[in-house]
């Protein structure tokens, strides 16, 4: 099964992708994580993406499509992919159609996680992750059970993203509405779109996703 999690910054795409992976088999493909890794590694892609990401703008289609295309050549994706944060533009959606078709893969569903803009600033501003395993947390909605200790792996180092501040979130939201929200129409026309209420709690959203996936 290959699915896309579509939604604005802070909607819960990464959180739900990790929960879906627990079921087994599926691989999370987060272009944000891949680009951050490229920035950290100082690669050519990282050098080109860094300033754009810090400003909350979209990295060029050419770069992102290149990164995804390469990732889809790895054998582990055959089990099924959860696309998290990709595609974000019409050009990316069309490129993904071509990439999947070229590999004989099928897109099963696009899950649109709907959350009002007002809530997203809080979601993004309160976000932090485990430095060791990447588990996601939130200052008010999802604190580790033991203060300062990751529930998932026991590590005690956490990190916050440079672009997770109220100012940059506004730019990212603007990019979402201008370039990514139109994909809802694209995938509705393709008969692939399923919608879930992302304002509900994490567990409830996870249940709703399992339900629409059947
Ligand atoms: P995205 O990948 O869409 O940007 P995340 O999955 O990183 O979003 O979630 C953003 C923040 O909101 C994280 O701190 C996460 O713990 C929290 N969060 C995710 N889903 C929910 C939810 N349904 N209710 C409350 N907080 C949530
Ligand atoms: P979030 O889900 O919280 O919006 P991501 O981790 O998906 O954050 O993305 C962080 C940043 O990485 C984006 O603001 C953008 O600069 C870049 N990025 C990630 N995915 C894409 C993409 N598919 N196209 C263009 N830029 C991207
Ligand atoms: Zn951890």
């Amino acid at each position: 099964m290959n699915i896309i999690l579509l939604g604005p910054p802070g909607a819960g795409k990464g959180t739900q992708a990790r929960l879906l992976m627990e079921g087994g088999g599926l691989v999370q493909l987060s272009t944000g994580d891949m680009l951050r890794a490229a920035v950290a590694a100082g690669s050519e892609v990282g050098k080109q993406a860094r300033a754009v990401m810090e400003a909350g703008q979209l990295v060029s289609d050419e770069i992102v499509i290149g990164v995804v295309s390469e990732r889809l050549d790895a054998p582990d994706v055959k089990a099924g992919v959860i696309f998290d944060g990709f595609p974000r533009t019409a050009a990316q959606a069309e490129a993904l159609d071509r990439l999947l078709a070229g590999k004989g893969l099928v897109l099963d569903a696009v899950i649109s996680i709907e959350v009002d803009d007002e809530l997203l600033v809080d979601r993004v501003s309160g976000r932090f992750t485990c430095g060791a395993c990447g588990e996601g947390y939130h200052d008010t909605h999802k604190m580790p059970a033991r203060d300062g200790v990751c529930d998932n792996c026991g590590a005690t180092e956490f990190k916050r993203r440079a672009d997770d501040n109220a100012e940059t979130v506004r730019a990212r939201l603007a990019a979402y509405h201008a370039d990514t929200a139109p994909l809802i129409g694209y995938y509705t026309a393709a008969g692939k779109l399923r919608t879930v209420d992302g304002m509900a709690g994490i567990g409830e959203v996870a249940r709703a996703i399992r339900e629409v996936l059947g």
Side-chain angles (χ1 to χ4, degrees), residues 130 133 150 152-153:
C130 172
C133 76
C150 176
N152 191 46
C153 76

Side-chain angles (χ1 to χ4, degrees), residues 7-14 30-36 49-61 63-65 68 84-89 92 124 127 161 163-164 168 171-173 175-176 180:
K13 303 180 296 295
S30 160
T31 44
D33 285 349
M34 291 159 77
L35 291 168
R36 279 185 290 279
R50 183 181 193 131
V52 180
M53 292 173 76
E54 274 172 9
Q57 286 157 4
L58 293 182
V59 174
S60 78
D61 288 333
I63 290 177
V64 176
I65 292 164
V68 172
D84 161 10
F86 178 90
R88 264 176 153 94
T89 65
Q92 291 179 20
V124 168
R127 165 162 61 192
R161 279 166 48 180
D163 61 342
D164 276 354
T168 310
R172 287 158 62 196
L173 275 175
Y176 174 78
T180 310

